[in-house]
Amino acid sequence: MKFSRAITIFLIFFYLAIQIANSQETPAPHAIYLYTMIGDSASKISLKQAKSLSIDLSGAIYIADTGNNRILKFSKDGELLKNVGGFGWAKEQFYSPYDIHAGSALDVFVADFNNNRIERYDKDLNYISSLYSVLGWDEMYKFGYPRSVATSIHGELFLVDFENIRLLKLNSFGEPEMTFGNYAEGKGRLVQPVQIAISPDDRIFVSDSKLNKIIVFDYFGNYLMEIGTDFLKEPQGIFYSPQKLLFIADQGNKRIAVFNPNGDLNFTLEQISEQQGKFKNPVDVVNFQSRIYVLDNDCVLVFDAGNLLKLK
């Protein structure tokens, strides 16, 4: 009887010790919500159906404010530096700018969707030129409704040709070189491509909101792999970071998903904060140093993710 009682007491103390140990475990690293840069009640800027974020090498933030037909540039701390646009067809006007890319060292490119052109600006948002499908181009290269645009480290321009459901590569002189990802591609065929990102090792990542995954091609347009199959839902904006991580605005699941280059899930960002709850409509994401910027429901939310990104 005494032996049985001793065992019972031992088990109780053992159970309590486990509970105490578990309660003292270090919490898993997570991204910490810092503030809302644009879109809260204190903001002087209102976005309308904004589709895209981009970031330059200094940390300045660019926004394609699609519904307002303009592009905006902010400092990394949220100060508005320039506002360009307005509805129209002339230079420095837009008709549904769907994507903006500021990742090159000098230029900013805008996919001006309904104007069927790519607009080129310098870093200070001074207009440089417009790129259309020109009469001299072979019919097979002509594009319509550019949905996304990005540059490689070699200076080539890649764009999502939404009308023809494919990718188009232009050389550094703006001349078309090849198309890929269209109906003839088989396993690498795109259905509803949204946004493009290019890694320094010349891999091309394309989010496809209909296929619910990321399609990866090599520099020559050959299919390589898929990322996020049976995990992503209606992925939108994507960003390849200096830490070699692929950030994805997983819109259908209302979260941010981050994968390594091999396609393995690194972490997810599921909610803004305990007070604000989950994301509402995340459409794009960028990363600069330890910070993650999320374009969600016409707000730009800023997070610190130093522990997750393992920055020194």
Side-chain angles (χ1 to χ4, degrees), residues 63-87:
I63 302 174
D65 188 9
T66 309
N68 286 317
N69 294 297
R70 63 182 178 176
I71 54 177
L72 306 168
K73 179 182 179 180
F74 293 85
S75 72
K76 62 182 179 181
D77 298 316
E79 176 189 359
L80 178 63
L81 301 177
K82 195 159 184 182
N83 172 0
V84 176
F87 174 77

mmCIF file of all heavy atoms in Angstrom, residues 63-87:
data_model
loop_
_atom_site.group_PDB
_atom_site.id
_atom_site.type_symbol
_atom_site.label_atom_id
_atom_site.label_comp_id
_atom_site.label_asym_id
_atom_site.label_seq_id
_atom_site.Cartn_x
_atom_site.Cartn_y
_atom_site.Cartn_z
ATOM 1 N N ILE A 63 5.179 51.713 -54.498
ATOM 2 C CA ILE A 63 3.863 51.078 -54.502
ATOM 3 C C ILE A 63 3.158 51.353 -55.823
ATOM 4 O O ILE A 63 3.103 52.508 -56.275
ATOM 5 C CB ILE A 63 2.984 51.598 -53.349
ATOM 6 C CG1 ILE A 63 3.667 51.359 -52.009
ATOM 7 C CG2 ILE A 63 1.612 50.926 -53.371
ATOM 8 C CD1 ILE A 63 2.931 51.961 -50.831
ATOM 9 N N ALA A 64 2.630 50.307 -56.436
ATOM 10 C CA ALA A 64 1.726 50.465 -57.570
ATOM 11 C C ALA A 64 0.320 50.593 -57.001
ATOM 12 O O ALA A 64 -0.300 49.604 -56.609
ATOM 13 C CB ALA A 64 1.825 49.270 -58.509
ATOM 14 N N ASP A 65 -0.153 51.837 -56.912
ATOM 15 C CA ASP A 65 -1.474 52.139 -56.358
ATOM 16 C C ASP A 65 -2.476 52.039 -57.507
ATOM 17 O O ASP A 65 -2.895 53.042 -58.092
ATOM 18 C CB ASP A 65 -1.456 53.540 -55.737
ATOM 19 C CG ASP A 65 -2.720 53.856 -54.961
ATOM 20 O OD1 ASP A 65 -3.544 52.940 -54.747
ATOM 21 O OD2 ASP A 65 -2.880 55.035 -54.570
ATOM 22 N N THR A 66 -2.867 50.814 -57.809
ATOM 23 C CA THR A 66 -3.547 50.484 -59.052
ATOM 24 C C THR A 66 -4.848 51.250 -59.240
ATOM 25 O O THR A 66 -5.097 51.838 -60.300
ATOM 26 C CB THR A 66 -3.800 48.968 -59.102
ATOM 27 O OG1 THR A 66 -2.573 48.286 -58.832
ATOM 28 C CG2 THR A 66 -4.321 48.543 -60.470
ATOM 29 N N GLY A 67 -5.703 51.243 -58.245
ATOM 30 C CA GLY A 67 -7.003 51.888 -58.373
ATOM 31 C C GLY A 67 -6.930 53.388 -58.515
ATOM 32 O O GLY A 67 -7.832 54.017 -59.092
ATOM 33 N N ASN A 68 -5.851 53.989 -58.008
ATOM 34 C CA ASN A 68 -5.648 55.434 -58.147
ATOM 35 C C ASN A 68 -4.757 55.786 -59.336
ATOM 36 O O ASN A 68 -4.424 56.960 -59.534
ATOM 37 C CB ASN A 68 -5.042 56.016 -56.870
ATOM 38 C CG ASN A 68 -6.057 56.110 -55.739
ATOM 39 O OD1 ASN A 68 -7.193 56.508 -55.944
ATOM 40 N ND2 ASN A 68 -5.642 55.714 -54.541
ATOM 41 N N ASN A 69 -4.342 54.776 -60.100
ATOM 42 C CA ASN A 69 -3.543 54.976 -61.316
ATOM 43 C C ASN A 69 -2.298 55.838 -61.066
ATOM 44 O O ASN A 69 -2.030 56.823 -61.766
ATOM 45 C CB ASN A 69 -4.398 55.611 -62.417
ATOM 46 C CG ASN A 69 -5.499 54.695 -62.887
ATOM 47 O OD1 ASN A 69 -5.245 53.619 -63.436
ATOM 48 N ND2 ASN A 69 -6.743 55.092 -62.647
ATOM 49 N N ARG A 70 -1.538 55.446 -60.051
ATOM 50 C CA ARG A 70 -0.335 56.197 -59.721
ATOM 51 C C ARG A 70 0.702 55.270 -59.100
ATOM 52 O O ARG A 70 0.388 54.132 -58.693
ATOM 53 C CB ARG A 70 -0.658 57.327 -58.751
ATOM 54 C CG ARG A 70 -1.185 56.836 -57.409
ATOM 55 C CD ARG A 70 -1.551 57.968 -56.471
ATOM 56 N NE ARG A 70 -2.087 57.468 -55.207
ATOM 57 C CZ ARG A 70 -2.425 58.244 -54.180
ATOM 58 N NH1 ARG A 70 -2.279 59.559 -54.263
ATOM 59 N NH2 ARG A 70 -2.898 57.704 -53.056
ATOM 60 N N ILE A 71 1.925 55.776 -59.009
ATOM 61 C CA ILE A 71 2.963 55.076 -58.282
ATOM 62 C C ILE A 71 3.519 56.031 -57.225
ATOM 63 O O ILE A 71 3.586 57.247 -57.427
ATOM 64 C CB ILE A 71 4.089 54.548 -59.196
ATOM 65 C CG1 ILE A 71 4.669 55.663 -60.061
ATOM 66 C CG2 ILE A 71 3.578 53.411 -60.047
ATOM 67 C CD1 ILE A 71 5.835 55.200 -60.930
ATOM 68 N N LEU A 72 3.892 55.460 -56.092
ATOM 69 C CA LEU A 72 4.347 56.232 -54.944
ATOM 70 C C LEU A 72 5.715 55.729 -54.513
ATOM 71 O O LEU A 72 6.000 54.530 -54.568
ATOM 72 C CB LEU A 72 3.371 56.081 -53.775
ATOM 73 C CG LEU A 72 1.897 56.393 -54.041
ATOM 74 C CD1 LEU A 72 1.043 55.914 -52.877
ATOM 75 C CD2 LEU A 72 1.704 57.884 -54.265
ATOM 76 N N LYS A 73 6.537 56.651 -54.050
ATOM 77 C CA LYS A 73 7.830 56.281 -53.470
ATOM 78 C C LYS A 73 7.906 56.808 -52.047
ATOM 79 O O LYS A 73 7.627 57.984 -51.795
ATOM 80 C CB LYS A 73 8.990 56.852 -54.293
ATOM 81 C CG LYS A 73 10.359 56.516 -53.700
ATOM 82 C CD LYS A 73 11.504 57.123 -54.506
ATOM 83 C CE LYS A 73 12.851 56.775 -53.867
ATOM 84 N NZ LYS A 73 13.998 57.359 -54.622
ATOM 85 N N PHE A 74 8.290 55.916 -51.121
ATOM 86 C CA PHE A 74 8.450 56.271 -49.708
ATOM 87 C C PHE A 74 9.869 55.937 -49.252
ATOM 88 O O PHE A 74 10.503 55.012 -49.769
ATOM 89 C CB PHE A 74 7.473 55.468 -48.842
ATOM 90 C CG PHE A 74 6.026 55.807 -49.072
ATOM 91 C CD1 PHE A 74 5.315 55.206 -50.103
ATOM 92 C CD2 PHE A 74 5.366 56.711 -48.258
ATOM 93 C CE1 PHE A 74 3.983 55.502 -50.315
ATOM 94 C CE2 PHE A 74 4.034 57.017 -48.460
ATOM 95 C CZ PHE A 74 3.337 56.421 -49.492
ATOM 96 N N SER A 75 10.345 56.665 -48.273
ATOM 97 C CA SER A 75 11.580 56.263 -47.603
ATOM 98 C C SER A 75 11.304 54.990 -46.819
ATOM 99 O O SER A 75 10.150 54.621 -46.591
ATOM 100 C CB SER A 75 12.056 57.366 -46.666
ATOM 101 O OG SER A 75 11.212 57.441 -45.518
ATOM 102 N N LYS A 76 12.349 54.335 -46.369
ATOM 103 C CA LYS A 76 12.158 53.093 -45.616
ATOM 104 C C LYS A 76 11.446 53.336 -44.288
ATOM 105 O O LYS A 76 10.921 52.397 -43.678
ATOM 106 C CB LYS A 76 13.497 52.395 -45.375
ATOM 107 C CG LYS A 76 14.481 53.182 -44.546
ATOM 108 C CD LYS A 76 15.797 52.412 -44.419
ATOM 109 C CE LYS A 76 16.812 53.200 -43.617
ATOM 110 N NZ LYS A 76 18.101 52.456 -43.502
ATOM 111 N N ASP A 77 11.394 54.600 -43.850
ATOM 112 C CA ASP A 77 10.700 54.948 -42.609
ATOM 113 C C ASP A 77 9.285 55.453 -42.847
ATOM 114 O O ASP A 77 8.598 55.859 -41.902
ATOM 115 C CB ASP A 77 11.501 55.998 -41.843
ATOM 116 C CG ASP A 77 12.872 55.486 -41.429
ATOM 117 O OD1 ASP A 77 12.943 54.333 -40.955
ATOM 118 O OD2 ASP A 77 13.861 56.223 -41.592
ATOM 119 N N GLY A 78 8.851 55.462 -44.106
ATOM 120 C CA GLY A 78 7.461 55.802 -44.392
ATOM 121 C C GLY A 78 7.206 57.224 -44.829
ATOM 122 O O GLY A 78 6.049 57.628 -44.973
ATOM 123 N N GLU A 79 8.248 58.015 -45.101
ATOM 124 C CA GLU A 79 8.053 59.382 -45.577
ATOM 125 C C GLU A 79 7.782 59.373 -47.076
ATOM 126 O O GLU A 79 8.540 58.777 -47.854
ATOM 127 C CB GLU A 79 9.296 60.218 -45.288
ATOM 128 C CG GLU A 79 9.217 61.643 -45.830
ATOM 129 C CD GLU A 79 10.533 62.380 -45.733
ATOM 130 O OE1 GLU A 79 11.507 61.791 -45.229
ATOM 131 O OE2 GLU A 79 10.580 63.549 -46.178
ATOM 132 N N LEU A 80 6.697 60.023 -47.502
ATOM 133 C CA LEU A 80 6.389 60.093 -48.931
ATOM 134 C C LEU A 80 7.413 60.972 -49.628
ATOM 135 O O LEU A 80 7.591 62.142 -49.286
ATOM 136 C CB LEU A 80 4.980 60.659 -49.145
ATOM 137 C CG LEU A 80 4.550 60.818 -50.610
ATOM 138 C CD1 LEU A 80 4.483 59.472 -51.315
ATOM 139 C CD2 LEU A 80 3.202 61.535 -50.693
ATOM 140 N N LEU A 81 8.081 60.393 -50.640
ATOM 141 C CA LEU A 81 9.111 61.119 -51.368
ATOM 142 C C LEU A 81 8.622 61.634 -52.711
ATOM 143 O O LEU A 81 9.026 62.709 -53.157
ATOM 144 C CB LEU A 81 10.339 60.224 -51.570
ATOM 145 C CG LEU A 81 11.001 59.702 -50.290
ATOM 146 C CD1 LEU A 81 12.146 58.771 -50.638
ATOM 147 C CD2 LEU A 81 11.482 60.859 -49.423
ATOM 148 N N LYS A 82 7.748 60.863 -53.377
ATOM 149 C CA LYS A 82 7.236 61.309 -54.671
ATOM 150 C C LYS A 82 5.974 60.547 -55.023
ATOM 151 O O LYS A 82 5.791 59.390 -54.643
ATOM 152 C CB LYS A 82 8.275 61.142 -55.775
ATOM 153 C CG LYS A 82 7.918 61.920 -57.054
ATOM 154 C CD LYS A 82 9.118 62.174 -57.920
ATOM 155 C CE LYS A 82 8.746 63.037 -59.118
ATOM 156 N NZ LYS A 82 9.888 63.273 -60.018
ATOM 157 N N ASN A 83 5.121 61.213 -55.802
ATOM 158 C CA ASN A 83 3.839 60.671 -56.254
ATOM 159 C C ASN A 83 3.714 61.003 -57.731
ATOM 160 O O ASN A 83 3.751 62.175 -58.107
ATOM 161 C CB ASN A 83 2.715 61.315 -55.434
ATOM 162 C CG ASN A 83 1.330 60.959 -55.949
ATOM 163 O OD1 ASN A 83 1.160 60.224 -56.916
ATOM 164 N ND2 ASN A 83 0.321 61.503 -55.288
ATOM 165 N N VAL A 84 3.624 59.980 -58.577
ATOM 166 C CA VAL A 84 3.555 60.187 -60.021
ATOM 167 C C VAL A 84 2.340 59.470 -60.578
ATOM 168 O O VAL A 84 2.065 58.326 -60.211
ATOM 169 C CB VAL A 84 4.823 59.666 -60.726
ATOM 170 C CG1 VAL A 84 4.697 59.791 -62.244
ATOM 171 C CG2 VAL A 84 6.048 60.406 -60.246
ATOM 172 N N GLY A 85 1.610 60.111 -61.480
ATOM 173 C CA GLY A 85 0.547 59.401 -62.168
ATOM 174 C C GLY A 85 -0.749 60.164 -62.267
ATOM 175 O O GLY A 85 -0.787 61.396 -62.265
ATOM 176 N N GLY A 86 -1.820 59.388 -62.360
ATOM 177 C CA GLY A 86 -3.136 59.894 -62.679
ATOM 178 C C GLY A 86 -3.631 59.130 -63.893
ATOM 179 O O GLY A 86 -2.842 58.631 -64.703
ATOM 180 N N PHE A 87 -4.932 59.032 -64.034
ATOM 181 C CA PHE A 87 -5.503 58.237 -65.121
ATOM 182 C C PHE A 87 -5.207 58.876 -66.473
ATOM 183 O O PHE A 87 -5.350 60.077 -66.658
ATOM 184 C CB PHE A 87 -7.006 58.098 -64.946
ATOM 185 C CG PHE A 87 -7.676 57.414 -66.111
ATOM 186 C CD1 PHE A 87 -7.590 56.041 -66.259
ATOM 187 C CD2 PHE A 87 -8.365 58.152 -67.059
ATOM 188 C CE1 PHE A 87 -8.195 55.407 -67.338
ATOM 189 C CE2 PHE A 87 -8.970 57.537 -68.141
ATOM 190 C CZ PHE A 87 -8.888 56.153 -68.281
#
